[in-house]
């Protein structure tokens, strides 16, 4: 009887199997490690990473160095009110690239690139696509990477990106090739400094890979450069695992697909654990600063017992005790049915969408700014809590007093550089566990609940933000980068690179670009009216939420867990290449 | 230019793409869900699970229904002192199966099966291998699954396992087919009840899939059955993600490979995040009750900055402040080198290996048992803490007083049914963060540290325990189950199923079995001297720890992160089929 599975090959002797090497004493002091110079996958590749490095992203027919640019009407503006702020970059056409060849000779392009904000899977592939695109357009083109985010541009700190470096990072996760940072380009002084650096480095292009804020600032810089007569072309690339930079020609931001798949793998495993041991309720907080796209997508992939969606909480003005009652009610109903287990998905930003919590946080921010001196002089936590409680409105004060001790501390201790409460640091999953536990005890006393409650808490965030990109994200980001190179070739500025028709076969994807200014709205920020790209929140009449809404009662009362499993790179396309359920539903809508 | 990647196939319209279905109101009330009857993957398979269901585990040449059993000398006994306790099952031979055919006719076998204790990836495949083996031996054979662990045997609660059910669960994670439980078969009354159930169900075989305790009890039951003249053959299968049931013919317990790979995937992602944003120290607690095999294996796969190994802490009698100084020293050295980031792996059981913590926990267990009435009458936490502090020895009292508040609470509030402190519930990762933070502040005051310290904490446990098995675990468990069927065919009892030579190609793996009694040691448990299978701890002179020891200084002072990525099922064998580094090193030693 022959072996039915695939043939084994004997293990190659890896580094660890070499006893001499394993036992050697390593006394040499190596130089300190800079971004991109880390001796990581180079000297000690693992098998998957080594193989994955050879993956060539799929691309559409129209994505090649000679692709002709087709210009059409500008996309509808999010707000016409911003027109006067962008005289040079508002009335620009939509651009798409075609499989026809462009006319004329190409010239070398020298571009800079910046990774901005939190990492997202695929950032390195944007750089690879950009690098390949520039080199294909003209072999004398070059790419300069600014280190550690926009700060690198302001400080003129960076490095030339060469082919060997790019090859080391193809299809890898993380932003470690050049590092990232949260410095913002916001003031006119920043823009001037940016133009100076660009001029000194002889850059005619600058590609900013970032989220809504970074793309907003890219747009401002593009406009400023044109106003100043600078030749610098500034482009944006839509990045964020949160999935909230989308709309119009931007079907999804990159990284959302991979991060959701990693979280869904883990939620699926937790689902399976809940079903196997039948005694735990798992409360799982999911990264994602404001919007609940991650929680929604993960719910569609894994069918948990309960999913909270911040946007719904806000729209229905649900109060904290109402949400707690809702959860406790489901727990009691399942318990009566001998199902003392379940999974609950909680978006990270939820507390800011609960009206009274939002109010409390706003008041705390105020108290901590105005009363900082007195507050920080207090030595013990009880005194600090007492102090802030005294400064709050009666409603907020009552709410604050009844919060679990630890959450009450997190609300006053973990503050960002602007003095604001760090919402991401609040253990919302523990908050709900404590409140639900309290509610169940009340129900027990009243005789309306007779089961047990064994909670477990999880926070899934850093586990997925730097995962290696899925095939979808590897392809999408490479194409975004290559598209950015083509937009530079066209002499365009103030554009965001787009790749559309993402649920079709890659061969039919549509690369192009739209003017960033058409995505701008005017909003008040820190007392000033400024143009910003608005975060796209979950739409309650959108197809993704509708599916959750239609199914969640059944998922709560019965058990319909799904177990998506880990990201696969080498299997059938229906496993390896498909993207999020959200994107599929939105494309079909 | 043709597409270089694989051909896309258009997405099939899945359930979610059907708007009519999405919008339908589901008002029907379906019957409650029992283990094995859950409407999960059946009605809504996802692509990976559907494809994975068709995977046929690889098996060795010698694993077929006619394989002849070769008997050889019994394995060396862990302790000869247990001989008199196992008169019927001690002097039994080692058995291996060969690719020669056995003589004689096979008769139908009717066997029961139990999943015992915490889930581990591959449990369902043990059942599939057992089922297939029994059916191949004789088509009239049958398998009866006891529900929710050993309790199902005592209560005679179970279900017939048929082919359709087995097919639904092939290569899936979790223990939900028949559920698991932590009830132990320990008393003579339990054994009598077990034999009664077996007789009533006409079972001649019983396969217990469990860890050291469950296999100990399987051995006791086997001996008891022989003593009583019962025809019941009892076999064990070595399960536990902790990796601590091994030694001699048991090269590894099943589930260890998959769980470590899931954790290593996540640690690799966290490594990459640390390297990308260069500002966080991630403290990661890893599941694994006593032994540090999981932390060690994950360290070899991911090369974190710091790895704590409980067995080393105990062997070197390292004290809490010594470990904290060690971590703070590395943080300071890296900070001086502009590397304000890193990852720290902490085994779950660590606190019990730190001498003074072990002492404190022992005293607390004593206090909480003897002073329970007074303790539970106290209403507030500060009063409870004050009460226990007053009962402790001066050293323990001083230690307890200086613990972070939350950990101090966990030590007195989270207790198991025996009144003992639940070590798994202690947030060791937060304990170390607080203590290290405190130490760094002292160093800052003394001028020996000038950096920042931004910690993040993680606990990886339930995220991996029920993952779908890797190819290795899928193969290994299927073969263990099939081997158990062959051991039953041979009329053997008191054996544990083994599959050896696991680092060779599957075709050369060696199935067989050894008498469980040869693994027994005598130990004092709850005041009685009883035979037990000892947990295999990390050996400090073993090859796996040696590799960590030889490399860790370099991993701490520089950055050598590795990023193993997710488990792959469909790629090259060197990616999909290789097992843990620990097992490879031990095989080569």
């Amino acid at each position: 009887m022959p072996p039915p599975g695939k043939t084994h090959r004997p293990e190659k002797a890896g580094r660890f199997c070499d006893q001499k090497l394993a036992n050697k004493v390593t006394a040499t002091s190596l130089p300190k490690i800079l971004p991109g110079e880390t001796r990581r996958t180079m000297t000690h590749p693992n098998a998957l990473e080594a193989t994955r490095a050879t993956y060539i992203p799929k691309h559409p027919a129209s994505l090649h160095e000679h692709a002709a640019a087709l210009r059409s009407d500008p996309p509808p503006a999010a707000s016409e009110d911003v027109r006067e702020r962008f005289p040079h970059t508002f009335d620009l056409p939509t651009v798409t690239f075609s499989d026809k060849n462009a006319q004329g000779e190409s010239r070398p392009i020298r571009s800079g690139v910046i990774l901005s904000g939190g990492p997202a899977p695929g950032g390195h592939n944007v750089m690879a696509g950009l690098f390949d695109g520039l080199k294909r357009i003209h072999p004398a083109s070059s790419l300069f990477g600014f280190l550690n985010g926009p700060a690198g541009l302001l400080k003129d700190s960076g490095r030339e990106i060469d082919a060997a470096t790019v090859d080391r990072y193809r299809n890898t996760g993380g932003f470690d090739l050049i590092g990232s940072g949260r410095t913002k380009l916001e003031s006119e002084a920043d823009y001037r400094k940016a133009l100076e650096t660009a001029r000194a480095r002889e850059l005619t292009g600058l590609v900013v890979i970032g989220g809504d804020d970074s793309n907003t600032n890219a747009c401002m810089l593009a406009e400023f450069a044109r106003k100043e007569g600078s030749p610098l072309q500034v482009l944006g690339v839509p990045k964020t695992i949160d999935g909230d930079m989308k709309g119009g020609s931007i079907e999804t931001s990159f990284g959302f697909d991979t991060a959701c798949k990693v979280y869904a793998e883990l939620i699926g495993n937790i689902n399976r654990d809940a079903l196997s041991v039948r005694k735990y309720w798992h409360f799982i907080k999911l990264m994602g600063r404001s919007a609940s796209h991650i929680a929604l997508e993960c719910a569609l992939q894994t069918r948990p017992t309960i999913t909270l969606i911040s946007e719904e909480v806000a729209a229905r003005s649900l109060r904290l005790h109402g949400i707690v009652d809702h959860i406790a009610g489901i727990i009691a109903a399942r318990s009566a049915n001998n199902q003392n287990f379940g999974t609950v998905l909680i978006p990270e930003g939820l507390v800011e969408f609960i009206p009274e919590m939002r109010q409390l946080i706003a008041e705390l921010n105020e108290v901590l700014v105005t009363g900082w001196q007195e507050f920080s002089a207090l030595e013990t936590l009880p005194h600090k809590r007492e102090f802030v409680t005294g400064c709050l409105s009666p409603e907020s004060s009552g709410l604050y007093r009844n919060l679990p001790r630890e959450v009450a501390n997190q609300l006053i201790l973990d503050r960002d550089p602007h003095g604001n409460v760090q919402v991401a640091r609040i253990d919302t999953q523990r908050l709900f566990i404590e409140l639900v536990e309290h509610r169940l005890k009340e129900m027990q006393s009243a005789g309306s609940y007779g089961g047990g409650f064994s909670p477990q808490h999880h926070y899934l965030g850093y586990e997925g933000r730097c995962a290696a990109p899925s095939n979808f994200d590897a392809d999408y980001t490479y194409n975004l980068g290559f598209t950015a190179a083509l937009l530079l070739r066209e002499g365009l500025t103030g554009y965001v690179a787009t790749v559309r028709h993402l649920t079709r076969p890659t061969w039919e994807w549509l690369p192009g670009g739209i003017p960033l200014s058409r995505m701008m709205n005017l909003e008040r920020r820190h007392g000033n009216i400024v143009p910003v790209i608005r975060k796209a929140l979950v739409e309650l009449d959108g197809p993704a939420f509708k599916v959750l809404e239609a199914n969640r009662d059944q998922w709560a009362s019965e058990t319909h867990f799904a177990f998506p499993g880990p990201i696969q790179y080498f299997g059938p396309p229906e496993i390896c290449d498909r993207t999020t359920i959200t994107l599929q539903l939105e494309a079909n809508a």
Side-chain angles (χ1 to χ4, degrees), chain A:
Chain A
M1 190 166 65
K6 289 177 185 177
T7 317
H8 259 283
R9 281 193 260 155
E11 286 292 331
K12 279 194 203 116
R15 184 184 177 230
F16 281 120
C17 303
D18 181 342
Q19 276 299 314
K20 260 188 295 186
L21 196 57
N23 295 328
K24 97 184 155 80
V25 180
T26 54
T28 52
S29 171
L30 296 171
K32 71 176 177 179
I33 292 157
L34 294 171
E37 298 180 351
T38 311
R39 243 165 280 97
R40 345 159 276 127
T41 56
M42 286 305 291
T43 45
H44 321 294
N46 69 57
L48 175 56
E49 220 175 45
T51 304
R52 191 66 185 152
T54 65
Y55 175 77
I56 301 169
K58 299 180 285 297
H59 64 83
S62 50
L63 200 76
H64 54 95
E65 59 272 29
H66 305 298
L70 307 178
R71 287 167 168 79
S72 55
D73 287 344
S79 159
E80 287 288 334
D81 297 344
V82 302
R83 175 184 295 272
E84 62 189 27
R85 303 209 179 204
F86 297 98
H88 302 90
T89 57
F90 194 76
D91 285 308
L92 296 175
T94 296
V95 170
T96 52
F97 292 99
S98 76
D99 52 5
K100 304 273 185 312
N101 277 4
Q103 300 299 314
E105 290 257 309
S106 293
R107 285 175 306 177
I109 301 167
R110 179 154 169 77
S111 179
V113 63
I114 296 175
L115 294 168
S116 183
H124 291 154
N125 263 27
V126 177
M127 294 181 65
L130 176 60
F131 181 86
D132 290 355
L134 292 173
K135 289 291 187 188
R136 294 266 202 98
I137 288 166
H138 198 290
S141 294
S142 63
L143 183 64
F144 186 82
F146 290 101
L147 295 183
N148 303 321
L153 178 64
L154 298 178
K155 294 191 283 187
D156 191 13
S157 152
R159 56 185 297 226
E160 291 292 334
I161 308 294
D162 59 22
T165 305
V166 168
D167 285 347
R168 282 212 303 278
Y169 285 85
R170 288 181 193 272
N171 311 304
T172 60
F175 274 13
D176 46 307
L177 201 165
I178 52 173
S180 182
R182 295 195 179 270
T183 308
K184 295 195 192 310
L185 302 172
E186 282 182 318
S187 67
E188 195 173 305
D190 291 344
Y191 301 142
R192 279 197 198 287
K193 186 72 198 69
L195 294 190
E196 259 173 51
T197 303
R199 190 166 49 238
R201 291 273 168 204
E202 297 177 338
L203 303 177
T204 57
L206 178 67
V207 177
V208 179
I209 302 167
D212 50 336
D213 272 357
S214 307
N215 275 282
T216 294
N217 298 333
C219 182
M220 302 287 282
L221 178 58
E223 179 67 30
F224 185 83
R226 276 291 137 102
K227 192 187 84 178
E228 298 287 308
S230 157
L232 186 68
Q233 302 163 241
V234 187
L235 304 177
V237 175
K239 169 228 74 169
T240 166
I241 63 163
D242 296 354
D244 58 7
M245 189 175 166
K246 67 173 176 181
S249 299
I250 302 179
E251 297 179 5
T252 188
S253 55
F254 80 77
F256 176 67
D257 179 85
T258 306
C260 286
K261 282 174 178 162
V262 175
Y263 301 144
E265 173 199 356
L266 303 179
I267 297 164
N269 290 351
I270 293 169
N271 277 346
R272 182 76 83 171
D273 204 291
L275 188 62
S276 295
V277 304
R278 305 177 73 81
K279 68 178 179 189
Y280 291 127
W281 272 89
H282 295 271
F283 285 64
I284 307 166
K285 186 174 83 167
L286 291 165
M287 193 173 252
R289 186 58 187 79
S290 291
S292 303
H293 298 292
I294 290 180
L296 177 55
E297 172 63 25
C298 288
L300 298 180
Q301 288 191 28
T302 64
R303 303 172 199 180
T305 322
I306 301 173
T307 306
L308 303 178
I309 298 293
S310 305
E311 291 84 347
E312 184 185 24
V313 166
R316 295 173 54 191
S317 292
L318 295 178
R319 299 178 66 84
L320 193 55
H321 71 80
I323 302 170
V324 168
D325 283 353
H326 171 70
I327 298 173
I330 290 172
I331 291 174
R334 287 177 68 87
S335 176
N337 204 13
N338 201 24
Q339 297 194 52
N340 278 306
F341 63 90
T343 45
V344 185
L345 302 192
I346 303 171
E348 180 176 84
L350 178 67
V351 288
E352 282 194 312
F353 287 78
I354 301 170
E356 71 269 35
M357 286 296 290
R358 191 187 191 100
Q359 173 69 21
L360 169 64
I361 290 168
E363 289 183 28
L364 283 174
N365 285 342
E366 185 68 24
V367 170
L368 291 171
V369 168
T370 57
W372 179 245
Q373 224 164 0
E374 197 175 339
F375 173 83
S376 55
L378 295 168
E379 282 191 4
T380 71
L381 272 170
H383 286 119
K384 283 180 195 281
R385 287 198 303 270
E386 203 184 309
F387 170 76
V388 298
T389 313
C391 303
L392 297 171
S393 68
E395 205 210 3
S396 291
S397 158
L399 173 62
Y400 187 73
R401 230 188 291 269
N402 286 319
L403 289 177
R405 180 71 50 88
E406 209 190 331
V407 173
N409 290 340
Q410 286 165 347
L411 281 168
I412 56 175
L413 293 182
D414 292 323
R415 300 163 69 242
D416 72 12
H418 307 289
N420 292 323
V421 168
Q422 294 214 56
V423 175
R425 289 290 184 104
I426 300 172
D427 283 339
T428 321
Q429 69 282 26
R430 290 185 163 197
L431 172 67
F432 277 102
I433 285 175
E434 287 213 30
L435 297 175
V436 166
E437 197 154 29
H438 185 75
R439 182 77 191 99
L440 289 173
K441 276 183 190 154
E442 288 176 350
M443 290 165 68
Q444 221 153 17
S445 304
S448 59
Y449 178 61
F453 179 58
S454 290
Q456 298 283 350
H457 57 87
H458 309 257
Y459 172 40
L460 303 181
Y462 299 102
E463 288 78 1
R465 216 172 59 156
C466 279
S470 62
N471 281 359
F472 173 84
D473 267 330
D475 296 349
Y476 181 40
T477 49
Y478 184 87
N479 288 322
L480 283 170
F482 201 110
T483 302
L486 294 179
L487 293 169
L488 291 178
R489 188 201 67 189
E490 290 296 304
L492 298 168
T493 188
Y495 275 70
V496 59
T498 59
V499 177
R500 291 154 63 191
H501 303 168
L502 292 172
T503 55
R504 296 191 195 166
T506 322
W507 191 242
E508 300 173 19
W509 286 5
L510 182 63
I514 56 162
L516 277 163
S517 56
R518 310 294 286 198
M519 301 178 69
M520 294 286 184
N521 291 279
L522 291 181
E523 284 190 6
R524 178 175 294 274
R525 295 265 170 108
H526 304 295
N528 301 316
I529 302 288
V530 291
V532 296
I533 297 174
R534 209 168 268 168
K535 282 187 199 298
L537 300 181
V538 168
E539 291 176 10
L540 301 183
D541 54 0
F545 182 78
K546 285 284 176 204
V547 172
L548 175 69
E549 205 176 26
N551 286 280
R552 61 184 170 185
D553 288 349
Q554 203 177 7
W555 298 351
S557 61
E558 303 159 16
T559 298
H560 289 268
F561 291 153
F563 320 101
I567 290 173
Q568 296 296 306
Y569 299 120
F570 307 108
E574 64 269 25
I575 292 173
C576 297
D577 291 338
R578 71 168 170 189
T579 181
T580 58
I581 295 172
T582 301
L583 190 50
Q584 293 170 44
L585 289 169
E586 288 175 349
N588 292 353

